[in-house]
Amino acid sequence: MKGLFDNIHPELSQDNAIEILSRNPEDLSCASDYYMAVSRLINYPGERTELALIEFLSSSSIEDSILLAKRKAVEILGRMKAFTAELEIGKCLNSNDIYMVENAAWSLSQLSCKDEGLHQLMLKLLSDPRQNQRVLIQSLSQLKVQSALPMITQLQSSERPGVKGAAIAALVHLTGQNEKIDVLGDHLFLSNQMDRQSSIQDIIDCQASQLLPQIIVSPVSPVFRMRAIRLLLDPLNMNDLHCDFMSMIEQTLSDDPRKIKVLHHCDASLQTNDLVLGLYHPDFSRCYLSMQLLLMCDPVDLWSSLEHNWHTKAHNDYGAHYFFMRLFGLIDGWEESAIFSIQEILKHAIEDQRPQFKKSGPAAIVSLARLSPDAIRHYLKSLLSYEITPFWEKRYAALIAMDCYLSADQRMLYQKQIEDVAKMDPDKIIQLKAKSVAAAMIR
């Protein structure tokens, strides 16, 4: 139920948040206070929170600040599995606000809504191209509304890839028909990044694990690729995993840009700094292309550009920040002066707790281990501890660092901890990797 940004206002108590929702708009200190209060209440599940959010939804106000917060309230109630809110959420399907309708349809699917009247209303909305047909298809599919099949079948021919993909996935889910499953694989390499990301969700929705080899080379954020791998693996059969699954995890975690299928091309005359600026692009295909070309640049010239960009912008740009962490560990031939600065940057990234920079941590661990095995040893004990490092990718990256970059004698210093991780880590994937590292140590 927890989301990455659920706890960004830890100072706000349940009482404070509920009190804010009872105020008139003119009494707010900021127009976004309603939204902040609603968002904070996800941390306080229970009857009192549900009643406060339901009462807030019943308000007839059409002020923008209230409408935005109402959308969030509908989402929060769905995430909290607030079954008592089904009726109030169902009313939101009649809203003139398409985003409110979208959130209401999604929340009803989270509540396993069995109200056939609401099902039919969602089906009617599905025929309206102004609505978010993709979310409506997904919700009707999750609710197993068989009467939606004719309309969903028709939408397999939609010109919008997101709608088409959702329809294909829904038919697989509802009927087992998978004749068009390869279309979802093709969507992984469409020119629009949102369409590529949507395709990954479609593949997850219909459990098409046979498309994993295509997912791991799709030019999208590694967050989407890793999520697909984890959700398409059967946690009950992890001990019988084919070795390809483990290699997929490590390929995605290592994220070598040379293994990504990019969809763009660069002018051969572009200078090093132009390529570095490509790491800020919102389309990951362009970022990976820049990465591929930067690997061929002179390290001295490259460091000059990276250092300048780091201090001016990249240190606070979560997209470029990630690619910088990757690049630091992929380049051979850094000068000694550059290595010292790079190591300091990587150490800071490993310690950084900001949620938007979460994916940079594992990248920094592997890069620092490659550049300086002695430096990474300072972090290994805490990185391998679930209590200290709950993010599984950082623990896995620490095991990669240990397995690939520490000497046999250095690894032996951690033998007991690795054996404990192999037995007791709450994540089965981490256990399997730790067992692999432990087995290699005694060969």
Side-chain angles (χ1 to χ4, degrees):
M1 190 172 74
K2 288 289 185 180
L4 194 58
F5 299 100
D6 287 343
N7 202 32
I8 58 175
H9 297 290
E11 74 286 352
L12 194 63
S13 70
Q14 183 183 29
D15 288 340
N16 295 149
I18 291 175
E19 189 275 326
I20 288 172
L21 296 184
S22 68
R23 295 180 193 172
N24 293 320
E26 59 270 20
D27 296 328
L28 298 178
S29 57
C30 179
S32 63
D33 282 356
Y34 287 138
Y35 189 92
M36 175 186 67
V38 168
S39 300
R40 179 61 182 161
L41 285 173
I42 188 63
N43 296 282
Y44 305 105
E47 182 179 2
R48 185 165 175 243
T49 288
E50 291 176 20
L51 289 173
L53 292 175
I54 291 170
E55 183 178 354
F56 183 69
L57 278 182
S58 67
S59 165
S60 60
S61 174
I62 58 173
E63 295 226 10
D64 285 346
S65 61
I66 293 181
L67 178 59
L68 288 170
K70 279 185 174 182
R71 290 180 195 160
K72 189 67 176 178
V74 168
E75 175 203 324
I76 295 295
L77 287 166
R79 290 174 61 192
M80 291 174 61
K81 307 294 184 186
F83 298 103
T84 57
E86 182 178 296
L87 179 61
E88 202 65 41
I89 293 172
K91 293 177 184 177
C92 295
L93 291 175
N94 294 306
S95 174
N96 293 323
D97 174 21
I98 60 173
Y99 303 108
M100 179 68 82
V101 172
E102 173 186 331
N103 281 14
W106 179 85
S107 285
L108 289 172
S109 73
Q110 301 305 298
L111 299 177
S112 302
C113 170
K114 293 180 173 58
D115 187 320
E116 292 188 7
L118 293 178
H119 293 174
Q120 291 307 307
L121 180 52
M122 291 167 67
L123 189 52
K124 181 181 178 181
L125 289 163
L126 182 58
S127 65
D128 182 356
R130 294 172 299 177
Q131 300 293 336
N132 189 326
Q133 291 175 310
R134 176 175 172 81
V135 170
L136 286 163
I137 291 170
Q138 291 171 326
S139 299
L140 288 164
S141 173
Q142 187 163 339
L143 292 170
K144 296 183 172 62
V145 180
Q146 294 294 319
S147 59
L149 281 172
M151 178 65 72
I152 292 175
T153 300
Q154 182 180 337
L155 288 171
Q156 283 187 114
S157 302
S158 173
E159 294 181 356
R160 289 180 284 174
V163 173
K164 182 176 185 176
I168 292 170
L171 282 175
V172 175
H173 180 237
L174 292 173
T175 70
Q177 297 176 14
N178 62 0
E179 292 85 358
K180 296 187 177 182
I181 203 83
D182 288 344
V183 173
L184 302 183
D186 295 338
H187 284 184
L188 291 167
F189 304 100
L190 291 173
S191 59
N192 184 284
Q193 178 164 268
M194 287 298 295
D195 289 335
R196 301 196 296 270
Q197 293 169 182
S198 294
S199 180
I200 290 180
Q201 184 60 52
D202 295 333
I203 293 168
I204 292 170
D205 288 344
C206 64
Q207 291 292 291
S209 58
Q210 66 269 34
L211 296 178
L212 273 172
Q214 289 150 270
I215 288 177
I216 64 171
V217 297
S218 176
V220 297
S221 167
V223 172
F224 292 95
R225 286 179 271 134
M226 188 63 81
R227 180 172 179 270
I229 294 170
R230 294 305 309 257
L231 291 178
L232 291 172
L233 294 176
D234 182 355
L236 299 178
N237 295 314
M238 293 299 285
N239 287 321
D240 299 321
L241 277 179
H242 190 281
C243 62
D244 282 353
F245 281 136
M246 296 301 292
S247 67
M248 286 177 189
I249 290 172
E250 300 204 9
Q251 180 173 327
T252 303
L253 199 54
S254 299
D255 206 18
D256 188 328
R258 292 163 293 196
K259 295 182 179 180
I260 298 295
K261 183 178 177 181
V262 298
L263 308 172
H264 298 88
H265 301 281
C266 273
D267 186 335
S269 64
L270 286 178
Q271 300 298 307
T272 299
N273 197 61
D274 295 321
L275 295 174
V276 171
L277 293 177
L279 302 180
Y280 297 92
H281 202 283
D283 189 322
F284 272 64
S285 176
R286 295 189 180 276
C287 297
Y288 283 112
L289 176 59
S290 290
M291 285 281 284
Q292 291 175 359
L293 297 173
L294 286 167
L295 294 180
M296 297 183 282
C297 291
D298 174 68
V300 176
D301 182 35
L302 176 57
W303 170 242
S304 176
S305 178
L306 290 175
E307 184 179 31
H308 171 74
N309 275 277
W310 177 258
H311 291 298
T312 56
K313 184 179 180 182
H315 71 280
N316 207 33
D317 182 295
Y318 63 88
H321 189 284
Y322 168 75
F323 285 110
F324 273 56
M325 298 305 109
R326 284 279 172 235
L327 196 57
F328 288 145
L330 289 171
I331 296 293
D332 293 313
W334 295 121
E335 290 189 321
E336 286 298 320
S337 57
I339 288 177
F340 176 80
S341 297
I342 289 169
Q343 287 184 14
E344 292 306 303
I345 291 172
L346 291 171
K347 290 175 183 177
H348 184 269
I350 292 171
E351 298 164 1
D352 197 337
Q353 298 299 313
R354 291 176 295 174
Q356 65 269 42
F357 294 90
K358 190 175 183 180
K359 67 177 180 286
S360 289
I365 291 166
V366 176
S367 290
L368 183 60
R370 186 172 187 268
L371 289 176
S372 175
D374 286 337
I376 198 62
R377 286 181 58 197
H378 172 73
Y379 295 96
L380 288 178
K381 185 175 181 180
S382 60
L383 287 172
L384 291 173
S385 166
Y386 169 76
E387 289 78 13
I388 300 174
T389 308
F391 183 31
W392 78 272
E393 288 189 20
K394 290 181 78 170
R395 303 202 304 283
Y396 201 111
L399 289 167
I400 290 177
M402 185 175 291
D403 195 25
C404 297
Y405 301 112
L406 265 58
S407 68
D409 288 342
Q410 290 173 329
R411 286 197 298 272
M412 290 301 295
L413 298 174
Y414 302 91
Q415 183 178 7
K416 177 62 168 62
Q417 188 177 13
I418 294 171
E419 291 172 350
D420 289 343
V421 170
K423 294 175 184 176
M424 296 182 290
D425 193 279
D427 193 307
K428 200 73 171 179
I429 286 286
I430 300 295
Q431 285 189 25
L432 287 172
K433 180 59 180 175
K435 287 176 183 177
S436 174
V437 174
M441 289 169 61
I442 61 177
R443 288 191 190 122

